[in-house]
Amino acid sequence: MWEYTTVTFNSLFDTEKSLKRKSDKVLEQHGKEGWELVNFQCVGGFGTMMVFVFKREKKQE
């Protein structure tokens, strides 16, 4: 069984460097928590919204 989480952020005013920094921070934080990136999209006009979808195995309660 899997659980999923979605992270979105606006990238309208980001430079290539600041966008890389934001993306790396999201990926590193979620990777440390056991999340695996399963999808990524740029949406909105000119790709102004970044969407990351992560999954991890759901812990048995």
Side-chain angles (χ1 to χ4, degrees):
M1 188 74 129
W2 300 102
E3 62 179 328
Y4 296 87
T5 189
T6 302
V7 178
T8 61
F9 61 86
N10 190 316
S11 61
L12 180 61
F13 299 109
D14 282 311
T15 64
E16 183 178 341
K17 190 180 238 181
S18 66
L19 183 56
K20 181 182 182 325
R21 193 169 38 247
K22 276 185 182 179
S23 297
D24 286 350
K25 184 176 180 179
V26 168
L27 293 168
E28 288 174 18
Q29 175 188 350
H30 284 76
K32 287 178 184 176
E33 296 173 3
W35 294 101
E36 176 184 347
L37 182 68
V38 293
N39 197 347
F40 164 78
Q41 292 184 357
C42 299
V43 296
F46 304 105
T48 58
M49 182 68 65
M50 310 300 273
V51 181
F52 294 88
V53 180
F54 296 90
K55 75 174 184 179
R56 70 178 173 190
E57 195 166 335
K58 191 170 188 171
K59 297 176 183 170
Q60 301 296 323
E61 296 179 9

